[in-house]
Amino acid sequence: MDFWNAFASLFSNFGNLTWQMVVMWGIGALLIYLAIAKKMEPSLLLPMGFGAILVNLPLSGAITQGDTVGPISALFEAGMSNELFPLLLFIGIGAMIDFGPLLEKPWLMLFGAAAQFGIFFTLFLAGFFFDLKDAASIAVIGAADGPTAIFVTVLLAPALLGPIAVAAYSYMALVPVIQPPIMKLLTTEKERKVKMTQLRTVSKTEKIIFPIVVTIFVALLVPSAAPLIACLMLGNLFKECGVTERLSKTVQNELINIVTIFLGLSVGCKAIASTFLTWETIKIIILGLIAFTFSTVGGLLFGKVMYKLTGGKVNPLIGSAGVSAVPMAARVSQKVGSEADPTNFLLMHAMGPNVAGVIGTAVAAGTFMAIFGV
C-alpha cells in the first residue's frame, strides 16, 4: 500500500496545474524558438525561456525545497537582488567595446544623449499608469539594454523584474526588425546615401585615458551610475591597456558566458504565471515598445539636424544607433545605408553613437536611481 501511495503521489502535482502555467510554458517555448530558430539573442532568450517553463511547473523544487529556498531562487538572491550579475556582465561588454570611433568624433556623444528621448518620454507616459519607481524601470526598456534595465528594476521595482527583463531583451533582439522601417520613414534616400569619412587615427594613449576619465566624471556627476560605468570602463581598460590580455579574454568569454547563463535562468524564473499574465504586463510590453520606438526616433531626428548643420556630411542613419544595443544597432545602420548605396560603409561611424548610447543609458539609469531610489 505504501508503494502505491508513493506512486500516486508522483502524479498529484497535476492537480495543481493551471491554464496560466500552460500559457507560460508556451511563452517560454516561444523564447526558446526565437533563440534557436531565429537566432535572436540566443544566449539570453534560451535560458530565460527555459527558466520561464521551470518556474511554472507545479511546486517546482527549483524555486522551493519544502520550507527552504530552492536552488534557482538562491541563485537569484546571490546575483540579482544585489545587482551583481548585471555589473559583471557590463565588465564583459566593456571589454568588447571599441571607443575609437567616439574618440575620433567626440560630438557623436550627442547622438547617445538624443537617443535617450524615448526613455524620458515614456517615463512621463508611464506615470499615468504606474507609480514613478515602476515607470522609471519601464522607461529604461527604451534603451534596448537588458543589463541596465535589470539593474534599475532590481532597485526600483523588483516585483516587475520578470516582464521588464523579458521586454528589454526581446526588443534588444528585435532591433533588426523594428528599426529599419522607422529609419526609412524618417530619412530620404539622399540622406541614406551620405558617405562619412574618418578624420584621424585614435592613439592607444587616448583609449587608455578615456575609460578612467569617464569613470571619474560620471561618478562625480551622477554617483548612482558609478557602478555601471565603472564596470563598463574597467572591462574596456582590460582590453585597451595591452598588458591584461588574459583578463580581457576571460571577461569577454568565460565570465560573460557564465554570468549570462545565471542571469537568463534566474530572470526567467521570475516569470511566474500569477504575476506575469496580467494587464500590467501587457502595459509594460506596450510602453517598452513606445520607449524603444521614440529612442530610435530621437536619434534619427538629431541625425537629420546634424545633416543640415554640416551641409550634408553626416548620415542621419547613425542616429538610430544611439540606443544601447551594441553592436546590433550599429549593424542595422550599416545595413540600411548599404541598401541605399552598396558602397556606403557606415558601421564604424555608427559605432560612435552606439557606444555613446551605452554611456548615456547608464547616466539616465543613474539619474533615475538617484531621484526615485529613496
Side-chain angles (χ1 to χ4, degrees):
M1 180 63 70
D2 290 338
F3 171 79
W4 289 111
N5 288 337
F7 184 76
S9 69
L10 293 176
F11 299 92
S12 62
N13 278 351
F14 284 94
N16 298 311
L17 188 64
T18 66
W19 68 266
Q20 291 95 335
M21 292 178 178
V22 176
V23 171
M24 290 306 301
W25 296 353
I27 292 175
L30 175 62
L31 294 177
I32 293 174
Y33 169 78
L34 293 175
I36 297 174
K38 301 299 182 182
K39 296 181 174 60
M40 293 183 175
E41 291 295 320
S43 58
L44 272 161
L45 291 190
L46 195 150
M48 283 173 61
F50 191 86
I53 294 173
L54 178 62
V55 77
N56 288 288
L57 297 172
L59 304 178
S60 172
I63 309 304
T64 58
Q65 291 282 1
D67 296 328
T68 62
V69 174
I72 302 300
S73 295
L75 181 65
F76 180 89
E77 293 298 324
M80 292 296 291
S81 61
N82 58 10
E83 303 164 340
L84 177 62
F85 288 165
L87 292 177
L88 291 177
L89 206 59
F90 252 55
I91 296 177
I93 292 171
M96 294 187 287
I97 286 178
D98 180 8
F99 286 109
L102 183 61
L103 291 170
E104 180 204 346
K105 301 183 181 75
W107 50 268
L108 291 177
M109 183 67 73
L110 297 174
F111 282 93
Q116 307 309 310
F117 170 70
I119 292 178
F120 290 95
F121 174 77
T122 304
L123 172 64
F124 169 77
L125 188 63
F128 289 102
F129 307 99
F130 297 87
D131 68 42
L132 288 178
K133 287 187 177 184
D134 293 352
S137 300
I138 295 167
V140 177
I141 296 173
D145 184 340
T148 303
I150 291 172
F151 187 81
V152 174
T153 304
V154 167
L155 178 65
L156 299 183
L160 301 181
L161 181 59
I164 286 178
V166 170
Y169 278 110
S170 296
Y171 292 135
M172 188 174 173
L174 290 171
V175 165
V177 177
I178 297 173
Q179 281 198 325
I182 302 171
M183 297 163 74
K184 293 175 182 178
L185 178 65
L186 295 181
T187 60
T188 65
E189 186 174 0
K190 180 181 177 181
E191 290 171 338
R192 295 195 291 273
K193 288 183 176 180
V194 171
K195 294 182 179 180
M196 298 178 64
T197 57
Q198 183 177 351
L199 299 178
R200 65 183 181 87
T201 301
V202 178
S203 69
K204 180 179 178 180
T205 301
E206 290 177 274
K207 290 186 175 183
I208 293 174
I209 293 174
F210 180 75
I212 300 172
V213 171
V214 169
T215 300
I216 295 172
F217 178 76
V218 173
L220 292 174
L221 181 67
V222 189
S224 299
L228 281 174
I229 289 294
C231 288
L232 183 74
M233 295 302 163
L234 175 61
N236 188 252
L237 193 57
F238 285 154
K239 172 179 178 288
E240 300 295 354
C241 70
V243 295
T244 55
E245 182 179 355
R246 181 169 57 86
L247 295 181
S248 178
K249 289 182 178 179
T250 298
V251 297
Q252 288 184 57
N253 295 285
E254 289 83 1
L255 178 65
I256 201 168
N257 288 337
I258 292 170
V259 173
T260 297
I261 294 170
F262 289 165
L263 184 146
L265 187 59
S266 57
V267 167
C269 284
K270 282 296 177 179
I272 302 171
S274 58
T275 58
F276 197 92
L277 294 178
T278 63
W279 284 112
E280 188 175 69
T281 297
I282 294 174
K283 286 188 286 187
I284 289 171
I285 292 173
I286 293 173
L287 286 167
L289 179 59
I290 292 172
F292 178 58
T293 299
F294 276 87
S295 289
T296 301
V297 169
L300 287 169
L301 292 180
F302 184 75
K304 291 176 75 72
V305 170
M306 292 301 295
Y307 172 82
K308 293 292 185 182
L309 292 178
T310 59
K313 295 181 180 179
V314 172
N315 192 314
L317 291 178
I318 67 172
S320 64
V323 298
S324 189
V326 177
M328 194 178 301
R331 290 173 180 166
V332 172
S333 296
Q334 164 65 29
K335 181 176 181 294
V336 176
S338 63
E339 288 175 357
D341 182 351
T343 65
N344 200 356
F345 191 73
L346 288 176
L347 181 60
M348 290 309 297
H349 304 290
M351 281 301 299
N354 210 182
V355 297
V358 178
I359 298 173
T361 299
V363 172
T367 301
F368 287 167
M369 290 187 291
I371 295 173
F372 304 120
V374 294

